[in-house]
Amino acid sequence: MTTGDDRAAFVAALGDLLASWHLPRATGRVYGQLLLNADPASLDDLGTTLELSKGAVSTAVRELVSWGLARTIPQPGSRRLLVDAAGGFDQLLAASHARTRVFVRVLRDGTRLADDDHAKSRLTEVADFFTAYIDAGDAMLRDRTTHTAEGTHDR
């Protein structure tokens, strides 16, 4: 059985981790809390539990939704939303790939602007590296989907 202190430590650790990725610490804390919750939570509940302002929670939720790590659930007849953690790894990788594809496109477009062949080669090398990252991640997702469909990846 876990204690409230264990949960708080997990939430704090996720906040610190996401902060190391240059995301607000509050975003990581909100994500950690959502991952631990059995049910979707209101912004007010998240703020109270995490001792964060409504503005900090709202900003964190928008960031998590933009990364595909959370989803909002409108409440009929109310302006209030509930928030739930979205799946996790698959969504994070898919969101990362979407952003990386844009980055690769910009790099490839930049090759025509390069001063010389050395600069063009450097741009191409970086673009190729990130393309390989996307390809490897896509292969992991396909493998994960295949194993899950076959029932060999259940946890």
Side-chain angles (χ1 to χ4, degrees):
M1 187 80 177
T2 61
T3 68
D5 289 343
D6 294 334
R7 290 175 64 93
F10 172 80
V11 167
L14 209 47
D16 292 343
L17 177 65
L18 266 61
S20 75
W21 297 352
H22 304 288
L23 291 170
R25 183 168 271 104
T27 300
R29 293 182 64 222
V30 168
Y31 186 49
Q33 187 63 46
L34 290 173
L35 287 170
L36 293 176
N37 287 353
D39 298 310
S42 71
L43 298 180
D44 290 336
D45 289 343
L46 288 167
T48 299
T49 301
L50 299 171
E51 298 179 348
L52 293 171
S53 71
K54 192 168 192 162
V57 172
S58 180
T59 299
V61 167
R62 278 195 308 276
E63 187 73 29
L64 291 169
V65 168
S66 78
W67 277 94
L69 296 174
R71 65 186 178 97
T72 56
I73 306 164
Q75 298 304 289
S78 173
R79 292 178 41 207
R80 292 185 175 238
L81 298 172
L82 294 180
V83 186
D84 197 16
F89 176 74
D90 296 11
Q91 286 80 8
L92 179 59
L93 195 54
S96 175
H97 283 181
R99 291 173 188 233
T100 304
R101 283 184 180 95
V102 171
F103 181 55
V104 168
R105 260 193 311 277
V106 170
L107 290 171
R108 297 222 188 272
D109 288 347
T111 59
R112 66 182 176 79
L113 305 171
D115 285 340
D116 61 11
D117 286 341
H118 174 72
K120 184 176 181 174
S121 175
R122 182 177 51 225
L123 280 163
T124 299
E125 184 178 326
V126 173
D128 289 348
F129 173 81
F130 282 100
T131 298
Y133 159 77
I134 293 168
D135 292 345
D138 285 346
M140 282 180 17
L141 288 173
R142 279 191 306 276
D143 185 53
R144 183 175 167 89
T145 302
T146 301
H147 288 323
T148 301
E150 296 170 353
T152 59
H153 196 269
D154 295 330
R155 295 180 208 210

